Amino acid sequence: MAPVPAALPAEAPLAMPVQRLFGNAPARRELSTRPHGLLVKRLLLITLTAVLGLAASSEVRVAFSRDGLDPFDIAMLLFFVPLFSWVAFGFVSSTIGFIQLMSGAHPGFVPVPSPAATLTRRTAVLMPVYNEDVEATFARVEAMAFSIARAGGAAWVDFFVLSDSSALHGKREEAAWAELAPRAPIAVYYRRREQNTARKPGNVAEWVQRFGGAYDTMLVLDADSVMTGAAIVGLASIMEARPSIGLLQTVPMITNARTLFQRWMQFASEAYGPISSAGLLWWSGTEANFWGHNAIVRTRAFAESCGLPELPGKPPFGGHILSHDMLESALLRRRGWAVHMVMIGGSYEEYPPTIVDHALRDRRWMQGNLQHLRLLGAAGLATTSRLHLLIGASAYLTSPGWLLLLLTTIAQVGAGADRNALIAVPPGVLALTVLLLFGPKLMGLIWILADRTRCMAFGGPWRALGSVLSELVLSTLFAPVSMVLQIKSLVGLLLGIPSHWNVQNRDAQAIPVRVILPSMRDHLLLGMVFAATFWLDTMTALWLLPLTLGLLGAPWLISLTSREDLGDAAARRGLFRVPARTMRVGRAEIPDPAADAVDTPAHDATVRAGG
């Protein structure tokens, strides 16, 4: 039996000073990293959004003004304008992405170039873990280690499992590492912190300060992430070839979907995700975002730019910055580093198995993103970086906006107003609203059907159509459920109740209706309020019917979509089918769309696809 190697390499300290967010901005690097025409792209995006928003709001205002504006009309306009503009922004961005994909201006997801022979500098793959399933975690580590070696990166890539787990859990992790490390084809290291200060960003920062000096780049994962060796080696080679790049963020696809909820989300990601991602890449350019995982970062750039301070005050809005990734990309850009997002094959993540687990994760993201409202005035940030922060925060403020708009409509009907606001809205505006809400799904279906090979990978035209229609029904029912969950989380945060760093559930486990029913009282109560509008105004009640059904059926939606057997049944019938991507490496199986292909376009083409 081979001897167990050292748990850690020799230390190579790298200073990571805490950054000043306010006051004088730090000096930028003297590099030209802004592609030509980026300003025009962003002006076009904003102009088209403004045209749609102003046209719709003007039509509504004129319709409401015909018999004078009452307080209900004014309230409706105050909620309608920003909400419509928010939806319009997403639609315009997706439409641009759709045009990019359909015209061939963007290649979509492509295998990343992987010339291992060109590597001259070291890369560390970092997987932070926190009381995760040990067997599943180290199966992913093993799969990636063998895949990296197969791609030719064994001499240049080391793997670090960075644990924040409890002492008891850590002993199991250490035993799993000791079993894997001697036979792994690349260096695999393990470190557990006694104190998990500042959660994941503190975990990564501690590694940077101890070992970062030995590695030119670091590829950051989550515990449920998996990437092929070709993707990892390819990203490292791009970073060497393009010294102005500080970060490359991939767009991971969902893998290991088992429950009906996961399969539904996986299909939505595969069918609509490329369109929204291509649009985002088009206007983000070198000022893209960081999602905290499945991304490669230049280590020294990160160390000099991204030491995070604590925010003044107590949690939930003070203390450690939770959504660190979005701020870190902004801080890298503040120093002049290019931050790109790229659509490549070989990058994957798992998805929460149930709506409940999704909501728990969403609450943590909400707290972190709302902290960003305090950072919009940070010194030296690029305008696009501020926009990313604002979009992330405002996404969680739309739910209370929608609810207030709906309640205002019901109150107007209940007050006996002469005119129903929904009926007064011009039919063209209502039709446009429906188009903006569901247009990206239609574009996704067109994109699938436009290519025969792609269409067959989704099960053929009829199965693809059935999947889109099924997803449309489920997402419509889920929308009000998510709205109430987000509002409840927001109220909790406003009351000073912070999110806690709980162990994430990644295992499929069916939730009986009787278990979830007590926590659905708010959903059921609101659903009954919407249903009661039948006694006030039939037309309003019909408009609210999809929301009413979603709220009253919330316990059953959560329960049914949490079941693995229904996910398997859907798969047998070809529902929510996505392109198959698996390969076996060593003793483990991981997804791989390109079979570690290396005959691919040049580096520059891949980065240009990201803006």
Side-chain angles (χ1 to χ4, degrees), residues 62-234:
V62 170
F64 284 3
S65 300
R66 286 170 185 163
D67 57 355
L69 289 174
D70 60 27
F72 289 112
D73 295 331
I74 295 172
M76 290 281 290
L77 284 170
L78 288 175
F79 295 130
F80 176 82
V81 173
L83 290 172
F84 186 92
S85 299
W86 167 261
V87 174
F89 180 88
F91 175 81
V92 171
S93 182
S94 293
T95 302
I96 292 171
F98 174 70
I99 295 172
Q100 290 282 296
L101 292 177
M102 293 295 290
S103 67
H106 192 291
F109 284 89
V110 295
V112 65
S114 185
T118 66
L119 294 182
T120 61
R121 299 172 184 173
R122 302 193 63 76
T123 295
V125 178
L126 310 182
M127 178 183 276
V129 298
Y130 177 68
N131 293 332
E132 300 284 346
D133 182 296
V134 175
E135 183 179 354
T137 297
F138 279 88
R140 286 188 282 268
V141 174
E142 176 184 356
M144 284 185 278
F146 276 90
S147 187
I148 290 168
R150 180 184 171 189
W156 301 104
V157 182
D158 295 343
F159 205 112
F160 288 80
V161 179
L162 305 179
S163 175
D164 269 335
S165 302
S166 65
L168 180 61
H169 206 89
K171 290 184 180 299
R172 296 179 56 215
E173 292 171 349
E174 189 170 1
W177 167 82
E179 191 276 330
L180 170 62
R183 57 184 178 80
I186 69 173
V188 177
Y189 298 111
Y190 173 81
R191 186 273 286 135
R192 187 181 77 84
R193 288 197 302 171
E194 294 292 336
Q195 299 292 328
N196 50 16
T197 305
R199 306 186 183 187
K200 181 179 176 179
N203 194 352
V204 173
E206 194 263 4
W207 177 88
V208 170
Q209 292 168 326
R210 290 182 62 188
F211 306 102
Y215 298 92
D216 188 66
T217 55
M218 58 181 189
L219 191 141
V220 184
L221 303 171
D222 268 351
D224 63 353
S225 299
V226 62
M227 292 183 68
T228 63
I232 293 170
V233 172

Side-chain angles (χ1 to χ4, degrees), residues 453-512:
T453 301
R454 180 167 56 242
C455 181
M456 297 310 297
F458 280 91
W462 293 112
R463 283 176 173 167
L465 177 61
S467 296
V468 169
L469 292 176
S470 299
E471 195 282 330
L472 180 63
V473 172
L474 287 173
S475 62
T476 301
L477 295 175
F478 179 54
V481 178
S482 178
M483 176 185 70
V484 175
L485 289 171
Q486 288 189 352
I487 292 172
K488 291 174 66 174
S489 296
L490 179 60
V491 171
L493 293 175
L494 293 176
L495 292 176
I497 305 173
S499 298
H500 298 288
W501 197 18
N502 299 318
V503 179
Q504 296 189 55
N505 178 34
R506 307 191 196 278
D507 296 324
Q509 186 174 4
I511 304 174

Side-chain angles (χ1 to χ4, degrees), residues 206-276:
E206 194 263 4
W207 177 88
V208 170
Q209 292 168 326
R210 290 182 62 188
F211 306 102
Y215 298 92
D216 188 66
T217 55
M218 58 181 189
L219 191 141
V220 184
L221 303 171
D222 268 351
D224 63 353
S225 299
V226 62
M227 292 183 68
T228 63
I232 293 170
V233 172
L235 290 174
S237 64
I238 292 174
M239 294 293 279
E240 286 197 23
R242 301 287 295 274
S244 64
I245 297 177
L247 186 149
L248 279 176
Q249 171 67 62
T250 68
V251 181
M253 291 287 102
I254 297 173
T255 184
N256 198 25
R258 303 182 305 281
T259 67
L260 181 59
F261 179 67
Q262 288 174 317
R263 292 185 186 276
W264 158 25
M265 291 294 109
Q266 183 183 43
F267 174 80
S269 172
E270 295 270 5
Y272 319 135
I275 292 172
S276 60

Side-chain angles (χ1 to χ4, degrees), residues 206-441:
E206 194 263 4
W207 177 88
V208 170
Q209 292 168 326
R210 290 182 62 188
F211 306 102
Y215 298 92
D216 188 66
T217 55
M218 58 181 189
L219 191 141
V220 184
L221 303 171
D222 268 351
D224 63 353
S225 299
V226 62
M227 292 183 68
T228 63
I232 293 170
V233 172
L235 290 174
S237 64
I238 292 174
M239 294 293 279
E240 286 197 23
R242 301 287 295 274
S244 64
I245 297 177
L247 186 149
L248 279 176
Q249 171 67 62
T250 68
V251 181
M253 291 287 102
I254 297 173
T255 184
N256 198 25
R258 303 182 305 281
T259 67
L260 181 59
F261 179 67
Q262 288 174 317
R263 292 185 186 276
W264 158 25
M265 291 294 109
Q266 183 183 43
F267 174 80
S269 172
E270 295 270 5
Y272 319 135
I275 292 172
S276 60
S277 296
L280 179 61
L281 270 61
W282 181 83
W283 62 263
S284 293
T286 55
E287 296 171 345
N289 224 333
F290 179 31
W291 294 338
H293 58 92
N294 294 58
I296 191 167
V297 189
R298 198 170 301 279
T299 311
R300 291 188 181 276
F302 186 84
E304 74 175 8
S305 306
C306 299
L308 299 183
E310 290 189 38
L311 294 178
K314 296 180 179 180
F317 302 115
H320 295 296
I321 298 173
L322 296 189
S323 293
H324 57 95
D325 38 19
M326 297 175 69
L327 179 59
E328 287 163 348
S329 62
L331 294 177
L332 281 168
R333 187 61 193 145
R334 181 170 77 160
R335 290 273 188 172
W337 295 97
V339 178
H340 280 282
M341 189 175 290
V342 290
M343 294 169 63
I344 63 169
S347 178
Y348 301 90
E349 64 175 337
E350 293 185 7
Y351 202 81
T354 70
I355 292 176
V356 173
D357 297 301
H358 168 81
L360 291 173
R361 186 183 71 172
D362 201 47
R363 191 184 193 280
R364 292 193 300 271
W365 287 0
M366 174 186 288
Q367 180 178 340
N369 285 14
L370 291 180
Q371 284 180 322
H372 292 164
L373 293 174
R374 303 181 61 182
L375 304 174
L376 293 176
L381 298 187
T383 301
T384 307
S385 297
R386 298 186 202 275
L387 180 60
H388 286 308
L389 296 175
L390 180 61
I391 290 173
S394 59
Y396 291 101
L397 300 177
T398 58
S399 288
W402 284 113
L403 181 60
L404 290 171
L405 178 64
L406 295 170
L407 293 179
T408 301
T409 302
I410 295 174
Q412 184 185 42
V413 174
D418 295 334
R419 172 174 42 78
N420 186 319
L422 280 176
I423 297 176
V425 173
V429 175
L430 291 175
L432 180 59
T433 303
V434 173
L435 175 63
L436 298 187
L437 287 171
F438 299 109
K441 299 180 187 296

